[in-house]
Amino acid sequence: NPESPVVHLGSNFTAVCVLKEDCMDYFHVNANFIVWKMSHFTIPKEQYTIINKTAASVTLTDVASLNIQLTCNILTFGQIEQNIYGITLISGLPPEKPKNLNCIVNEGRKMMCYWDPGRETYLETNFTLKSEWATEKFADCKTKRDTPTSCTVDYSPVYFVNMEVWVEAENALGKVTSDHINFDPVDKVKPNAPHNLSVSNSEELSSILKLTWINSNIKNVIRLKYDIQYRTKGASAWSQIPPEDTASTRSSFTVQDLKPFTEYVFRIRCMKEDGKGFWSDWSEEASGITYEDRPSKAPSFWYKIDPSHTHGYRSVQLMWKTLPPFEANGKILGYEVTLTRWKSRLQNYTVNDSKLTVNLTNDRYIATLTARNAVGRSAASVLTIPACDFQASHPVMDLKAFPKDNMLWVEWTTPSKSPNKYILEWCVLSDKSPCIPDWQQEDGTVYRTYIRAPSKGPTVRTKKVGKNEAVLEWDQLPVDVQNGFIRNYTIFYRTNIGNETAVNVDSSHTEYTLSSLTSDTLYMVRMAAYTDEGGKDGPEFTFTTPKFAQGEIEAIVVPVCLAFLLTTLLGVLFCFNKRDLIKKHIWPNVPDPSKSHIAQWSPHTPPRHNFNSKDQMYSDGNFTDVSVVEIEANDKKPFPEDLKSLELFKKEKVSTEGHSSGIGGSSCMSSSRPSISSSDENESAQNTSSTVQYSTVVHSGYRHQVPSVQVFSRSESTQPLLDSEERPEDLQLVDNVDGSDGILPRQQYFKQNCSQHETSPDISHFERSNQVSSVNEEDFIRLKQQQISGISQSCGSGQMKMFQEVSAADAFGPGTEGQGERFKTAEMEAVLDEGMPKSYLPQTVRQGGYMPQ
Amino acid sequence: MKVLAAGVVPLLLVLHWKHGAGSPLPITPVNATCATRHPCHSNLMSQIRNQLAQLNSSANALFILYYTAQGEPFPNNLDKLCGPNVTDFPPFHANGTEKAKLVELYRVIAYLGASLGNITRDQKLLNPNALSLHSKLNTTADVMRGLLSNVLCRLCSKYHVAHVDVTYGPDTSGKDVFQKKKLGCQLLGKYKQVIAVVAQAF
């Protein structure tokens, strides 16, 4: 029993299920209990055949399904269905004999053969392409799964040796071989297309264009013939050069009988000269313009006389129709008009416009008109302008107009004497527009015509404007304004300063691409529609080509932005890495007002207030009479020395009339409180200040002079204090203190009862230190000063009433008593120790007053 | 070194000489079968002419391409280095019968084909970047292979000649680089000269 038998689609199939006898006894079953199922559906018992006790078969007739799952099942114990065995039936068809075997040799590539595989087999079918010379065999070419109908051989084709090729198709149901084909690979060649096709015109002949091209290398092996097609630019239908003219190997050809000054597009292909093999692909198209020829027709010519007579003269407007391009045969450079009165030559006019107004006498005139282009002149149109008193002897009679076939026909009775030509004048009668006469010229032999020229020109617009090209589009003229069959359109376009260029477009088109335009230039474009009888210009349209092509700006801007971003990022990274260096060189150290302390009020008044409201730490608001100085463990100077320096300040305060201001300076001015407030009050005043306020004392005196009037002013600014330059004399005092103080403690807590009185400094020491002018470390000095200021402030409050009064009213607001003050200088100390650049330092002290920054 | 290549597939040397020594025209035994895989086409002579023309039209370009690719001193010493001084080259008599010419042509092309194989092998080693030369050598070798098939078919189908004794040129595998280049150049010079004569003869 095959696991997956493959059967012919539509054939019969019989399966037999045999039971093992030991199982039969165990389950109490026999062949009668067998149930056949096909794809889960039970097969009717009628299709079963009980062969014997152990075997039963089923026959499937006309197998139609491609995949059938057939299972043999048994009802054990009479009711429980159990599967015994199953197979998958695969049905399909044997392969048909491959037909239409053919091969192609694309030049420069390997040979590919293809065939018709025949009917669907529903089975996996392998196709093998076999090939051989008479003397040797080539390797088989096995098809790929996705291309079962073609195969490309592995070997390079050898020309001029016949080979035999056939295909074998094989699947589970059979194998079949196609007919053998025997051929020379050179007869199956598809050459590469001729390339570098170029077109050149001839100044001698305006009706020819010469094509040149480069043949593919196959020309070294085989002779070629060609197929050359051409069309006017804008047309859709191709014309063909007679094949017999291009039946041999060549690399140039001259196309004749072309229209002058017309752009033609060409393409070419080639194949083996004897016609065996395949045509190459078409070459790329190439275009060329035939040279100009003189205008082939005289322009239609007519006149209009102004009815007003003046002094025996009459104003006559001569007018003519511009020649359509297929008659102009080039760019019309101008028109030449001659006027002859009787037989004497009167005057020549050269006109660029299509009309000319002249003043003529009442005599008869003969006017001639020729159009001129670069090559020559057209034939002359002759027009007789009759004398003023002329009466037409043979007028046109029975003029009738009637619509027919969507055209307006005009019919008349020809005069008895045959005229040279007719001029038909008409205008549109409309309530909306005045009667503007138009006219057309008819041959003298006709007696009926229709109004042919379009009454409107097409309105052109741009569909898409690119940097160097513009796609123009227009609507087909409505039938009622076509007045005939539109033969072609002409697009005229020009720049402000450039010459006008005309392009002819087939009447079937409604779109045209102007190429080779200049970027960022204003173009004016208009279109004319031409029937056989003439044309009409549409309105002019202007457009400007963009300076940049689509995406060009993005191509510039995006990299620039990226570069900018990258530069910025690098700059930021650089700044981040070198922030210390940059900070040092670019911006000055800005003291943090939140860490500032009032250093000194006057040259003679040691700084008293040196605290920061934000930094104040009130570790215990209930300090009263106890003064505690905490000194960090790394202090080198003994504690008594610090106290000594504090005493120095106290002495100084005593010796100078301190005019101070500070935080809460204005309240100082307004305060009526006596000078009995304690330092605790001062502390509480600072503690209540949420913003840093700076008070300025304008000292009316100078240096050691005692001002007659104390002036206080208060700055409400919250601007950080800048670290101003200090004069050496400003620092002398501090330097002295420094010398006596040594290394400062990291933290000092002062309680406001000045319990350090016993460490009062020596005044003489202070005076001596005041003479020192050299300042080594400005920041260091400031810090010392700041600390000392704080000390002196707190101590001074208990020493001198006057000073105390000022400090109490000045620095501390009323009602904030009983609060301990804590001066925290840890940060500044750290700066000192490490010798870091100045930053967040207290204000400088100037002699003569507090110097705001 | 002349090598007798009897038994070399597919070019078997047959030692049945119709004429005396020096006459290379072979004879197929009367009862020998001249079997081909399928019947030979009728326009064999036309195809042979086309193949010879194809070889002749490309021989000079191959020669130039070869000595140019070798570099100096070859391009400026063509007479000395690339003169057609190939001993052992099979003779060709343009005024012989068609059968004789075909047999001689077979020998010439077999000799050239084998030599071209050597040159191609050497050049792939000596000038691995001269892809244009490799391509042209391969194309020429392919055309020669097809020409041999056609000649054999013609000899077999018309003249019942199933085997032709052939000779091969010297093996260049043991020679130094310069000798390889020189022998190749001489061979291609000889090929250019001979193929013009042979193409003219058919």
Side-chain angles (χ1 to χ4, degrees), chain A residues 710-737:
Chain A
Q710 293 177 3
V711 182
F712 299 90
S713 70
R714 175 186 178 185
S715 168
E716 298 292 340
S717 170
T718 57
Q719 181 182 358
L721 297 175
L722 297 176
D723 189 18
S724 66
E725 292 182 8
E726 293 179 1
R727 291 173 302 183
E729 58 267 31
D730 293 331
L731 305 169
Q732 285 173 1
L733 169 67
V734 185
D735 190 53
N736 183 334
V737 175

PDB file of all heavy atoms in Angstrom, chain A residues 710-737:
ATOM      1  N   GLN A 710      23.503 111.433  58.726  1.00  0.00           N
ATOM      2  CA  GLN A 710      23.518 110.037  58.276  1.00  0.00           C
ATOM      3  C   GLN A 710      22.406 109.833  57.270  1.00  0.00           C
ATOM      4  O   GLN A 710      21.258 110.194  57.503  1.00  0.00           O
ATOM      5  CB  GLN A 710      23.303 109.115  59.476  1.00  0.00           C
ATOM      6  CG  GLN A 710      24.463 109.167  60.443  1.00  0.00           C
ATOM      7  CD  GLN A 710      24.206 108.320  61.645  1.00  0.00           C
ATOM      8  OE1 GLN A 710      23.179 107.653  61.718  1.00  0.00           O
ATOM      9  NE2 GLN A 710      25.121 108.350  62.595  1.00  0.00           N
ATOM     10  N   VAL A 711      22.791 109.292  56.157  1.00  0.00           N
ATOM     11  CA  VAL A 711      21.797 109.036  55.103  1.00  0.00           C
ATOM     12  C   VAL A 711      21.749 107.541  54.821  1.00  0.00           C
ATOM     13  O   VAL A 711      22.772 106.910  54.627  1.00  0.00           O
ATOM     14  CB  VAL A 711      22.169 109.776  53.795  1.00  0.00           C
ATOM     15  CG1 VAL A 711      21.104 109.535  52.749  1.00  0.00           C
ATOM     16  CG2 VAL A 711      22.316 111.266  54.077  1.00  0.00           C
ATOM     17  N   PHE A 712      20.588 107.089  54.844  1.00  0.00           N
ATOM     18  CA  PHE A 712      20.401 105.657  54.565  1.00  0.00           C
ATOM     19  C   PHE A 712      19.496 105.504  53.357  1.00  0.00           C
ATOM     20  O   PHE A 712      18.523 106.250  53.200  1.00  0.00           O
ATOM     21  CB  PHE A 712      19.761 104.959  55.767  1.00  0.00           C
ATOM     22  CG  PHE A 712      20.604 105.042  57.005  1.00  0.00           C
ATOM     23  CD1 PHE A 712      20.434 106.108  57.886  1.00  0.00           C
ATOM     24  CD2 PHE A 712      21.567 104.096  57.276  1.00  0.00           C
ATOM     25  CE1 PHE A 712      21.206 106.176  59.024  1.00  0.00           C
ATOM     26  CE2 PHE A 712      22.325 104.168  58.409  1.00  0.00           C
ATOM     27  CZ  PHE A 712      22.161 105.216  59.303  1.00  0.00           C
ATOM     28  N   SER A 713      19.824 104.634  52.612  1.00  0.00           N
ATOM     29  CA  SER A 713      18.904 104.280  51.512  1.00  0.00           C
ATOM     30  C   SER A 713      18.864 102.784  51.389  1.00  0.00           C
ATOM     31  O   SER A 713      19.784 102.081  51.785  1.00  0.00           O
ATOM     32  CB  SER A 713      19.366 104.893  50.185  1.00  0.00           C
ATOM     33  OG  SER A 713      20.531 104.250  49.745  1.00  0.00           O
ATOM     34  N   ARG A 714      17.811 102.338  50.832  1.00  0.00           N
ATOM     35  CA  ARG A 714      17.632 100.883  50.775  1.00  0.00           C
ATOM     36  C   ARG A 714      17.391 100.466  49.339  1.00  0.00           C
ATOM     37  O   ARG A 714      16.578 101.037  48.619  1.00  0.00           O
ATOM     38  CB  ARG A 714      16.421 100.501  51.608  1.00  0.00           C
ATOM     39  CG  ARG A 714      16.119  99.026  51.494  1.00  0.00           C
ATOM     40  CD  ARG A 714      14.855  98.700  52.187  1.00  0.00           C
ATOM     41  NE  ARG A 714      14.573  97.297  52.028  1.00  0.00           N
ATOM     42  CZ  ARG A 714      13.460  96.740  52.459  1.00  0.00           C
ATOM     43  NH1 ARG A 714      12.556  97.477  53.087  1.00  0.00           N
ATOM     44  NH2 ARG A 714      13.247  95.457  52.276  1.00  0.00           N
ATOM     45  N   SER A 715      18.120  99.468  48.937  1.00  0.00           N
ATOM     46  CA  SER A 715      17.870  98.888  47.612  1.00  0.00           C
ATOM     47  C   SER A 715      16.940  97.701  47.756  1.00  0.00           C
ATOM     48  O   SER A 715      17.139  96.851  48.613  1.00  0.00           O
ATOM     49  CB  SER A 715      19.184  98.420  46.991  1.00  0.00           C
ATOM     50  OG  SER A 715      18.902  97.631  45.878  1.00  0.00           O
ATOM     51  N   GLU A 716      15.945  97.750  46.932  1.00  0.00           N
ATOM     52  CA  GLU A 716      15.010  96.617  46.958  1.00  0.00           C
ATOM     53  C   GLU A 716      15.409  95.542  45.955  1.00  0.00           C
ATOM     54  O   GLU A 716      14.691  94.582  45.728  1.00  0.00           O
ATOM     55  CB  GLU A 716      13.591  97.113  46.615  1.00  0.00           C
ATOM     56  CG  GLU A 716      13.046  98.110  47.606  1.00  0.00           C
ATOM     57  CD  GLU A 716      12.783  97.496  48.954  1.00  0.00           C
ATOM     58  OE1 GLU A 716      12.662  96.270  49.031  1.00  0.00           O
ATOM     59  OE2 GLU A 716      12.718  98.247  49.947  1.00  0.00           O
ATOM     60  N   SER A 717      16.537  95.777  45.315  1.00  0.00           N
ATOM     61  CA  SER A 717      16.902  94.845  44.236  1.00  0.00           C
ATOM     62  C   SER A 717      17.193  93.463  44.783  1.00  0.00           C
ATOM     63  O   SER A 717      17.735  93.304  45.859  1.00  0.00           O
ATOM     64  CB  SER A 717      18.152  95.371  43.522  1.00  0.00           C
ATOM     65  OG  SER A 717      18.635  94.395  42.648  1.00  0.00           O
ATOM     66  N   THR A 718      16.815  92.538  43.998  1.00  0.00           N
ATOM     67  CA  THR A 718      17.170  91.145  44.328  1.00  0.00           C
ATOM     68  C   THR A 718      18.269  90.645  43.422  1.00  0.00           C
ATOM     69  O   THR A 718      18.551  89.464  43.353  1.00  0.00           O
ATOM     70  CB  THR A 718      15.945  90.237  44.167  1.00  0.00           C
ATOM     71  OG1 THR A 718      15.481  90.385  42.822  1.00  0.00           O
ATOM     72  CG2 THR A 718      14.870  90.598  45.147  1.00  0.00           C
ATOM     73  N   GLN A 719      18.839  91.596  42.676  1.00  0.00           N
ATOM     74  CA  GLN A 719      19.912  91.191  41.748  1.00  0.00           C
ATOM     75  C   GLN A 719      21.117  90.693  42.525  1.00  0.00           C
ATOM     76  O   GLN A 719      21.489  91.263  43.541  1.00  0.00           O
ATOM     77  CB  GLN A 719      20.316  92.411  40.920  1.00  0.00           C
ATOM     78  CG  GLN A 719      21.392  92.105  39.904  1.00  0.00           C
ATOM     79  CD  GLN A 719      21.786  93.342  39.148  1.00  0.00           C
ATOM     80  OE1 GLN A 719      21.221  94.400  39.381  1.00  0.00           O
ATOM     81  NE2 GLN A 719      22.745  93.211  38.267  1.00  0.00           N
ATOM     82  N   PRO A 720      21.752  89.632  42.014  1.00  0.00           N
ATOM     83  CA  PRO A 720      22.926  89.142  42.722  1.00  0.00           C
ATOM     84  C   PRO A 720      24.003  90.192  42.746  1.00  0.00           C
ATOM     85  O   PRO A 720      24.161  90.971  41.804  1.00  0.00           O
ATOM     86  CB  PRO A 720      23.353  87.930  41.898  1.00  0.00           C
ATOM     87  CG  PRO A 720      22.181  87.577  41.076  1.00  0.00           C
ATOM     88  CD  PRO A 720      21.416  88.821  40.881  1.00  0.00           C
ATOM     89  N   LEU A 721      24.731  90.182  43.761  1.00  0.00           N
ATOM     90  CA  LEU A 721      25.801  91.142  43.892  1.00  0.00           C
ATOM     91  C   LEU A 721      26.980  90.692  43.077  1.00  0.00           C
ATOM     92  O   LEU A 721      27.359  89.542  43.073  1.00  0.00           O
ATOM     93  CB  LEU A 721      26.198  91.244  45.365  1.00  0.00           C
ATOM     94  CG  LEU A 721      25.102  91.770  46.285  1.00  0.00           C
ATOM     95  CD1 LEU A 721      25.578  91.699  47.712  1.00  0.00           C
ATOM     96  CD2 LEU A 721      24.693  93.170  45.911  1.00  0.00           C
ATOM     97  N   LEU A 722      27.530  91.639  42.356  1.00  0.00           N
ATOM     98  CA  LEU A 722      28.691  91.306  41.557  1.00  0.00           C
ATOM     99  C   LEU A 722      29.933  91.536  42.391  1.00  0.00           C
ATOM    100  O   LEU A 722      29.989  92.408  43.251  1.00  0.00           O
ATOM    101  CB  LEU A 722      28.740  92.184  40.305  1.00  0.00           C
ATOM    102  CG  LEU A 722      27.560  91.985  39.359  1.00  0.00           C
ATOM    103  CD1 LEU A 722      27.660  92.973  38.213  1.00  0.00           C
ATOM    104  CD2 LEU A 722      27.547  90.560  38.855  1.00  0.00           C
ATOM    105  N   ASP A 723      30.866  90.759  42.061  1.00  0.00           N
ATOM    106  CA  ASP A 723      32.118  90.856  42.794  1.00  0.00           C
ATOM    107  C   ASP A 723      32.928  91.993  42.216  1.00  0.00           C
ATOM    108  O   ASP A 723      33.523  91.892  41.167  1.00  0.00           O
ATOM    109  CB  ASP A 723      32.863  89.530  42.673  1.00  0.00           C
ATOM    110  CG  ASP A 723      34.029  89.511  43.588  1.00  0.00           C
ATOM    111  OD1 ASP A 723      34.057  90.324  44.517  1.00  0.00           O
ATOM    112  OD2 ASP A 723      34.907  88.674  43.368  1.00  0.00           O
ATOM    113  N   SER A 724      32.905  93.105  42.822  1.00  0.00           N
ATOM    114  CA  SER A 724      33.584  94.272  42.261  1.00  0.00           C
ATOM    115  C   SER A 724      35.065  94.223  42.577  1.00  0.00           C
ATOM    116  O   SER A 724      35.532  93.475  43.430  1.00  0.00           O
ATOM    117  CB  SER A 724      32.982  95.539  42.868  1.00  0.00           C
ATOM    118  OG  SER A 724      33.273  95.568  44.218  1.00  0.00           O
ATOM    119  N   GLU A 725      35.743  95.003  41.817  1.00  0.00           N
ATOM    120  CA  GLU A 725      37.159  95.101  42.097  1.00  0.00           C
ATOM    121  C   GLU A 725      37.358  95.888  43.387  1.00  0.00           C
ATOM    122  O   GLU A 725      36.628  96.826  43.694  1.00  0.00           O
ATOM    123  CB  GLU A 725      37.836  95.823  40.945  1.00  0.00           C
ATOM    124  CG  GLU A 725      37.838  95.018  39.667  1.00  0.00           C
ATOM    125  CD  GLU A 725      38.555  95.748  38.565  1.00  0.00           C
ATOM    126  OE1 GLU A 725      39.157  96.793  38.859  1.00  0.00           O
ATOM    127  OE2 GLU A 725      38.495  95.264  37.452  1.00  0.00           O
ATOM    128  N   GLU A 726      38.309  95.504  44.049  1.00  0.00           N
ATOM    129  CA  GLU A 726      38.543  96.163  45.325  1.00  0.00           C
ATOM    130  C   GLU A 726      39.861  96.885  45.302  1.00  0.00           C
ATOM    131  O   GLU A 726      40.846  96.396  44.736  1.00  0.00           O
ATOM    132  CB  GLU A 726      38.553  95.127  46.436  1.00  0.00           C
ATOM    133  CG  GLU A 726      37.204  94.505  46.648  1.00  0.00           C
ATOM    134  CD  GLU A 726      37.262  93.484  47.734  1.00  0.00           C
ATOM    135  OE1 GLU A 726      38.344  93.305  48.293  1.00  0.00           O
ATOM    136  OE2 GLU A 726      36.241  92.887  48.010  1.00  0.00           O
ATOM    137  N   ARG A 727      39.823  97.999  45.859  1.00  0.00           N
ATOM    138  CA  ARG A 727      41.081  98.719  46.002  1.00  0.00           C
ATOM    139  C   ARG A 727      41.806  98.192  47.223  1.00  0.00           C
ATOM    140  O   ARG A 727      41.184  97.738  48.186  1.00  0.00           O
ATOM    141  CB  ARG A 727      40.800 100.217  46.170  1.00  0.00           C
ATOM    142  CG  ARG A 727      40.247 100.821  44.888  1.00  0.00           C
ATOM    143  CD  ARG A 727      39.832 102.232  45.144  1.00  0.00           C
ATOM    144  NE  ARG A 727      38.850 102.306  46.207  1.00  0.00           N
ATOM    145  CZ  ARG A 727      38.286 103.439  46.590  1.00  0.00           C
ATOM    146  NH1 ARG A 727      38.620 104.568  46.002  1.00  0.00           N
ATOM    147  NH2 ARG A 727      37.408 103.448  47.563  1.00  0.00           N
ATOM    148  N   PRO A 728      43.082  98.270  47.171  1.00  0.00           N
ATOM    149  CA  PRO A 728      43.835  97.684  48.287  1.00  0.00           C
ATOM    150  C   PRO A 728      43.432  98.285  49.626  1.00  0.00           C
ATOM    151  O   PRO A 728      43.349  97.579  50.613  1.00  0.00           O
ATOM    152  CB  PRO A 728      45.279  98.042  47.943  1.00  0.00           C
ATOM    153  CG  PRO A 728      45.282  98.204  46.455  1.00  0.00           C
ATOM    154  CD  PRO A 728      43.940  98.721  46.085  1.00  0.00           C
ATOM    155  N   GLU A 729      43.115  99.574  49.574  1.00  0.00           N
ATOM    156  CA  GLU A 729      42.796 100.184  50.871  1.00  0.00           C
ATOM    157  C   GLU A 729      41.499  99.653  51.444  1.00  0.00           C
ATOM    158  O   GLU A 729      41.255  99.683  52.627  1.00  0.00           O
ATOM    159  CB  GLU A 729      42.730 101.719  50.757  1.00  0.00           C
ATOM    160  CG  GLU A 729      41.737 102.235  49.754  1.00  0.00           C
ATOM    161  CD  GLU A 729      42.372 102.460  48.396  1.00  0.00           C
ATOM    162  OE1 GLU A 729      43.331 101.732  48.049  1.00  0.00           O
ATOM    163  OE2 GLU A 729      41.930 103.355  47.689  1.00  0.00           O
ATOM    164  N   ASP A 730      40.671  99.146  50.499  1.00  0.00           N
ATOM    165  CA  ASP A 730      39.425  98.566  50.973  1.00  0.00           C
ATOM    166  C   ASP A 730      39.664  97.317  51.783  1.00  0.00           C
ATOM    167  O   ASP A 730      38.836  96.899  52.562  1.00  0.00           O
ATOM    168  CB  ASP A 730      38.525  98.226  49.793  1.00  0.00           C
ATOM    169  CG  ASP A 730      38.085  99.486  49.101  1.00  0.00           C
ATOM    170  OD1 ASP A 730      37.987 100.538  49.771  1.00  0.00           O
ATOM    171  OD2 ASP A 730      37.865  99.432  47.886  1.00  0.00           O
ATOM    172  N   LEU A 731      40.796  96.734  51.511  1.00  0.00           N
ATOM    173  CA  LEU A 731      41.026  95.434  52.097  1.00  0.00           C
ATOM    174  C   LEU A 731      41.949  95.467  53.303  1.00  0.00           C
ATOM    175  O   LEU A 731      42.199  94.453  53.930  1.00  0.00           O
ATOM    176  CB  LEU A 731      41.626  94.509  51.036  1.00  0.00           C
ATOM    177  CG  LEU A 731      40.799  94.408  49.756  1.00  0.00           C
ATOM    178  CD1 LEU A 731      41.599  93.707  48.693  1.00  0.00           C
ATOM    179  CD2 LEU A 731      39.500  93.679  50.055  1.00  0.00           C
ATOM    180  N   GLN A 732      42.426  96.636  53.560  1.00  0.00           N
ATOM    181  CA  GLN A 732      43.436  96.699  54.618  1.00  0.00           C
ATOM    182  C   GLN A 732      42.890  96.227  55.949  1.00  0.00           C
ATOM    183  O   GLN A 732      43.523  95.446  56.654  1.00  0.00           O
ATOM    184  CB  GLN A 732      43.930  98.135  54.745  1.00  0.00           C
ATOM    185  CG  GLN A 732      44.857  98.511  53.599  1.00  0.00           C
ATOM    186  CD  GLN A 732      45.215  99.968  53.615  1.00  0.00           C
ATOM    187  OE1 GLN A 732      44.777 100.717  54.502  1.00  0.00           O
ATOM    188  NE2 GLN A 732      46.020 100.394  52.660  1.00  0.00           N
ATOM    189  N   LEU A 733      41.748  96.691  56.205  1.00  0.00           N
ATOM    190  CA  LEU A 733      41.155  96.335  57.475  1.00  0.00           C
ATOM    191  C   LEU A 733      41.019  94.828  57.590  1.00  0.00           C
ATOM    192  O   LEU A 733      41.386  94.233  58.591  1.00  0.00           O
ATOM    193  CB  LEU A 733      39.789  97.012  57.595  1.00  0.00           C
ATOM    194  CG  LEU A 733      38.933  96.541  58.742  1.00  0.00           C
ATOM    195  CD1 LEU A 733      39.590  96.961  60.060  1.00  0.00           C
ATOM    196  CD2 LEU A 733      37.533  97.127  58.618  1.00  0.00           C
ATOM    197  N   VAL A 734      40.547  94.288  56.541  1.00  0.00           N
ATOM    198  CA  VAL A 734      40.292  92.859  56.567  1.00  0.00           C
ATOM    199  C   VAL A 734      41.572  92.071  56.656  1.00  0.00           C
ATOM    200  O   VAL A 734      41.667  91.057  57.326  1.00  0.00           O
ATOM    201  CB  VAL A 734      39.499  92.465  55.306  1.00  0.00           C
ATOM    202  CG1 VAL A 734      39.123  91.017  55.379  1.00  0.00           C
ATOM    203  CG2 VAL A 734      38.299  93.363  55.159  1.00  0.00           C
ATOM    204  N   ASP A 735      42.551  92.605  55.954  1.00  0.00           N
ATOM    205  CA  ASP A 735      43.819  91.923  55.980  1.00  0.00           C
ATOM    206  C   ASP A 735      44.364  91.836  57.390  1.00  0.00           C
ATOM    207  O   ASP A 735      44.913  90.829  57.808  1.00  0.00           O
ATOM    208  CB  ASP A 735      44.792  92.682  55.060  1.00  0.00           C
ATOM    209  CG  ASP A 735      46.030  91.897  54.852  1.00  0.00           C
ATOM    210  OD1 ASP A 735      45.888  90.707  54.442  1.00  0.00           O
ATOM    211  OD2 ASP A 735      47.108  92.411  55.108  1.00  0.00           O
ATOM    212  N   ASN A 736      44.140  92.905  58.067  1.00  0.00           N
ATOM    213  CA  ASN A 736      44.550  92.929  59.459  1.00  0.00           C
ATOM    214  C   ASN A 736      43.850  91.833  60.227  1.00  0.00           C
ATOM    215  O   ASN A 736      44.483  91.081  60.960  1.00  0.00           O
ATOM    216  CB  ASN A 736      44.174  94.315  60.027  1.00  0.00           C
ATOM    217  CG  ASN A 736      44.618  94.462  61.459  1.00  0.00           C
ATOM    218  OD1 ASN A 736      44.743  93.464  62.149  1.00  0.00           O
ATOM    219  ND2 ASN A 736      44.846  95.683  61.895  1.00  0.00           N
ATOM    220  N   VAL A 737      42.601  91.778  59.999  1.00  0.00           N
ATOM    221  CA  VAL A 737      41.833  90.781  60.715  1.00  0.00           C
ATOM    222  C   VAL A 737      42.325  89.389  60.375  1.00  0.00           C
ATOM    223  O   VAL A 737      42.471  88.530  61.220  1.00  0.00           O
ATOM    224  CB  VAL A 737      40.345  90.928  60.371  1.00  0.00           C
ATOM    225  CG1 VAL A 737      39.558  89.823  61.023  1.00  0.00           C
ATOM    226  CG2 VAL A 737      39.847  92.294  60.790  1.00  0.00           C
TER     227      VAL A 737
END
